[in-house]
Amino acid sequence: MSGKTLTRMDLTEAVFREVGLSRNESADLVESVLQHMSDSLVRGETVKISSFGTFSVREKAARVGRNPKTGEEVPILPRRVLTFRPSHLMKDRVAAGNSERKD
């Protein structure tokens, strides 16, 4: 693993270079897209980006967990969790990238 992390600033810079908007307009566009995605997920909607993947919210029921250190049973409250399922195209691209690397 290279340890490189893609940030909002990186996305903004990519939009600036590829689309030709100003840096401020590029930043606003990236923020707007991320805000729309977040708002939809908060409402419980699914966000599907073709050739990339699907973000969705799952409801997890209450259950009894166990503290691995002490073995003590601990109640885990019901909660909502965010899940991501990559598309087959994305899985293939990542797998192809892994096969090309020689660490």
Side-chain angles (χ1 to χ4, degrees):
M1 284 271 189
S2 66
K4 173 82 173 101
T5 301
L6 182 69
T7 65
R8 286 176 191 230
M9 187 58 76
D10 296 331
L11 291 172
T12 297
E13 189 63 26
V15 170
F16 169 71
R17 281 193 319 271
E18 299 288 326
V19 179
L21 297 174
S22 72
R23 278 195 166 84
N24 284 341
E25 291 171 328
S26 298
D28 290 344
L29 178 62
V30 168
E31 279 304 314
S32 178
V33 168
L34 294 175
Q35 189 64 50
H36 282 300
M37 290 174 62
S38 297
D39 292 346
S40 293
L41 291 165
V42 166
R43 290 190 301 267
E45 298 171 0
T46 298
V47 175
K48 183 175 183 176
I49 302 173
S50 182
S51 301
F52 186 76
T54 304
F55 297 89
S56 58
V57 176
R58 273 190 35 213
E59 303 285 337
K60 294 190 96 175
R63 63 185 176 92
V64 176
R66 192 174 304 277
N67 181 330
K69 198 169 194 175
T70 64
E72 176 186 357
E73 288 188 349
V74 180
I76 299 175
L77 300 175
R79 62 202 187 281
R80 296 172 65 186
V81 296
L82 179 63
T83 62
F84 174 73
R85 284 194 51 137
S87 71
H88 290 292
L89 290 172
M90 181 58 67
K91 286 181 182 180
D92 293 345
R93 284 191 68 192
V94 170
N98 287 341
S99 63
E100 293 172 6
R101 291 184 60 175
K102 304 285 189 235
D103 289 27

